[in-house]
Amino acid sequence: KAIKKRLAVSHPNLLNLLDYAAGRKKEFCSSFYWVKLFFELPSTDARFQASNRKREGKNFTNEELTHMLYNTVSGGAHLQRNGINHGSIAPYSIAMDGPTQYKLIENFGELSKPQDNQIQRIMSGKSHFASPEKYENTRNKKLNLATDANKNDVWGLGLSILELGNAKTVRDIYNKTFCTLCQCSTNTM
């Protein structure tokens, strides 16, 4: 259902979902179901560009950041108008087709529950761009608590622009403390 819903949504600032294929593989005592999604291939993403530029001693320009902001807001707003949330906006999910052309890259395979990708990244300690509410709920293993997905998308975009604009990680905004539930050492807001 999520794939069919997303197929009907097209926008110049969203990576195009072109088609999908689904099937079932039967084995002796079980069946496996698979789904393949076919998206257009992005030229590059903002994280990769930031890494290349850092090696060259360059940064994103104000003009590039402004286009990135407006393009990704436009794509994200179109998703939200159609009842779809991105779930995990970060520099790796912003495609760059030139200094003024940006598109949101969705989490392939996570169209039905896009927030699962962000939860997995937080739990594994990888770089994340979660809202304080989403981050705290995930770190304290309150995975079923509802968080505002639209606000989380906006927060992720804001952190992405901040990180790309300053050419420094925003990970330090999550300070070391203890989880309130499991009392293990973690990063929290």
Side-chain angles (χ1 to χ4, degrees), residues 121-168:
R121 292 185 71 77
I122 293 169
M123 297 303 286
S124 67
K126 293 181 180 174
S127 179
H128 42 271
F129 297 81
S131 68
E133 180 184 42
K134 179 72 163 185
Y135 183 81
E136 189 65 28
N137 287 347
T138 302
R139 292 305 299 169
N140 288 316
K141 309 218 183 336
K142 299 176 183 175
L143 303 179
N144 295 326
L145 288 181
T147 56
D148 188 323
N150 292 345
K151 287 181 184 177
N152 192 60
D153 281 352
V154 171
W155 183 272
L157 177 57
L159 285 181
S160 297
I161 298 294
L162 184 63
E163 180 168 295
L164 295 167
N166 289 328
K168 292 182 183 177

Side-chain angles (χ1 to χ4, degrees), residues 25-32:
K25 180 180 178 184
K26 287 186 176 184
E27 297 210 357
F28 179 66
C29 56
S30 62
S31 292
F32 297 92

Side-chain angles (χ1 to χ4, degrees), residues 26-153:
K26 287 186 176 184
E27 297 210 357
F28 179 66
C29 56
S30 62
S31 292
F32 297 92
Y33 295 88
W34 55 267
V35 176
K36 292 182 182 181
L37 304 176
F38 301 98
F39 281 88
E40 73 175 294
L41 184 64
S43 300
T44 185
D45 66 60
R47 178 186 58 185
F48 182 77
Q49 279 296 311
S51 175
N52 285 346
R53 290 173 187 217
K54 190 172 188 174
R55 280 194 299 271
E56 297 170 2
K58 298 177 183 176
N59 293 327
F60 281 96
T61 66
N62 290 340
E63 181 181 344
E64 288 174 315
L65 291 169
T66 301
H67 283 286
M68 185 185 304
L69 175 66
Y70 282 107
N71 288 181
T72 52
V73 164
S74 180
H78 189 72
L79 281 176
Q80 290 178 6
R81 279 191 298 276
N82 286 280
I84 302 171
N85 292 96
H86 185 279
S88 187
I89 296 178
Y92 59 83
S93 65
I94 301 172
M96 184 176 175
D97 289 332
T100 62
Q101 300 294 320
Y102 299 90
K103 295 181 179 184
L104 277 175
I105 302 171
E106 291 159 279
N107 300 312
F108 308 150
E110 299 290 346
L111 290 178
S112 61
K113 293 183 178 179
Q115 67 279 5
D116 288 355
N117 181 281
Q118 192 170 61
I119 289 170
Q120 181 182 16
R121 292 185 71 77
I122 293 169
M123 297 303 286
S124 67
K126 293 181 180 174
S127 179
H128 42 271
F129 297 81
S131 68
E133 180 184 42
K134 179 72 163 185
Y135 183 81
E136 189 65 28
N137 287 347
T138 302
R139 292 305 299 169
N140 288 316
K141 309 218 183 336
K142 299 176 183 175
L143 303 179
N144 295 326
L145 288 181
T147 56
D148 188 323
N150 292 345
K151 287 181 184 177
N152 192 60
D153 281 352

Side-chain angles (χ1 to χ4, degrees), residues 169-182:
T169 183
V170 293
R171 189 177 182 90
D172 295 338
I173 67 166
Y174 301 95
N175 298 321
K176 289 224 176 219
T177 63
F178 287 91
C179 283
T180 56
L181 185 64
C182 65

